[in-house]
């Protein structure tokens, strides 16, 4: 661990940085999967979903950056190459031949829910290590992406 401005003990900072890197892997993978959906979507809902998926991707890219920078601020490293992400992400592979609009909606909703589950697990780690700043960081992401998942699931109803 590198020197950090954080008053947390090194053992706590190490555990937190490890958890942040797990969420970074999931987030980078989710970002690439959202972009695949954005690029390949076809169907009656194209006009609404194409820009929505781009909004999701842009917001997630910003969150990924914040997660990576938090790990480094705590004295850790951020791991995010595509090869590392491919090995570390908990998300299932995205079926890249998918084109139908509502199939993309279903696939992204499932993956966002897996991402959210990981964020919640990390939040517990942060709480156990009394890192309120990392708790705040992921709570904001959870709140935003729960809304995105709700929007996608609501689109599948009816």
């Amino acid at each position: 661990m590198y020197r950090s401005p954080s008053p947390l003990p090194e053992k706590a900072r190490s555990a937190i940085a490890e958890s942040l890197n797990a969420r970074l892997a999931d987030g980078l993978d989710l970002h690439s999967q959202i972009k695949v959906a954005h690029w390949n979507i076809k169907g009656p809902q194209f006009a609404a979903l194409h820009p929505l998926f781009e909004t999701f991707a842009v917001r997630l890219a910003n969150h990924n950056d914040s997660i990576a920078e938090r790990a480094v601020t705590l004295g850790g490293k951020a791991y995010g190459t595509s090869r590392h992400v491919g090995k570390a992400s908990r998300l299932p592979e995205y079926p890249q031949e998918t084109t139908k609009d509502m199939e993309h909606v279903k696939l992204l909703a499932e993956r966002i829910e897996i991402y959210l589950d990981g964020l919640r697990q990390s939040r517990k780690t942060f709480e156990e290590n009394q890192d309120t700043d990392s708790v705040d960081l992921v709570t904001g992401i959870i709140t935003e992406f729960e809304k995105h998942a709700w929007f996608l699931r609501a689109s599948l109803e009816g």
Side-chain angles (χ1 to χ4, degrees):
M1 298 287 302
Y2 296 103
R3 186 175 171 168
S4 169
S6 171
L8 294 169
E10 185 172 326
K11 183 177 178 184
R13 290 186 293 114
S14 180
I16 294 162
E18 182 180 330
S19 187
L20 287 164
N21 270 292
R23 300 300 65 84
L24 181 59
D26 289 351
L28 290 168
D29 191 12
L30 180 58
H31 180 268
S32 69
Q33 292 189 27
I34 293 169
K35 291 301 288 188
V36 166
H38 170 76
W39 296 324
N40 292 299
I41 190 169
K42 305 274 188 274
Q45 301 303 317
F46 171 86
L49 294 172
H50 182 76
L52 180 67
F53 292 170
E54 181 65 12
T55 299
F56 291 174
V58 168
R59 295 294 299 151
L60 185 55
N62 288 328
H63 292 311
N64 288 338
D65 191 57
S66 295
I67 287 171
E69 289 175 351
R70 181 69 183 151
V72 174
T73 298
L74 291 172
K77 292 183 180 177
Y79 301 104
T81 65
S82 58
R83 288 185 185 122
H84 174 81
V85 168
K87 291 178 187 173
S89 175
R90 298 175 332 116
L91 276 62
E93 178 62 43
Y94 199 85
Q96 295 188 69
E97 298 303 316
T98 304
T99 58
K100 297 201 181 296
D101 49 8
M102 299 315 283
E103 184 62 21
H104 282 296
V105 168
K106 177 182 175 288
L107 291 167
L108 290 180
E110 292 168 354
R111 281 148 179 81
I112 288 172
E113 289 165 358
I114 293 168
Y115 176 65
L116 286 166
D117 179 62
L119 288 169
R120 290 183 193 105
Q121 288 176 25
S122 287
R123 184 167 55 186
K124 287 180 187 173
T125 298
F126 306 155
E127 289 169 343
E128 290 166 2
N129 286 283
Q130 300 178 353
D131 181 6
T132 56
D133 298 321
S134 293
V135 169
D136 288 349
L137 173 64
V138 298
T139 298
I141 300 168
I142 290 167
T143 301
E144 181 177 346
F145 274 79
E146 279 181 344
K147 185 166 66 170
H148 296 330
W150 163 74
F151 185 90
L152 294 172
R153 288 288 181 197
S155 298
L156 294 169
E157 303 259 334

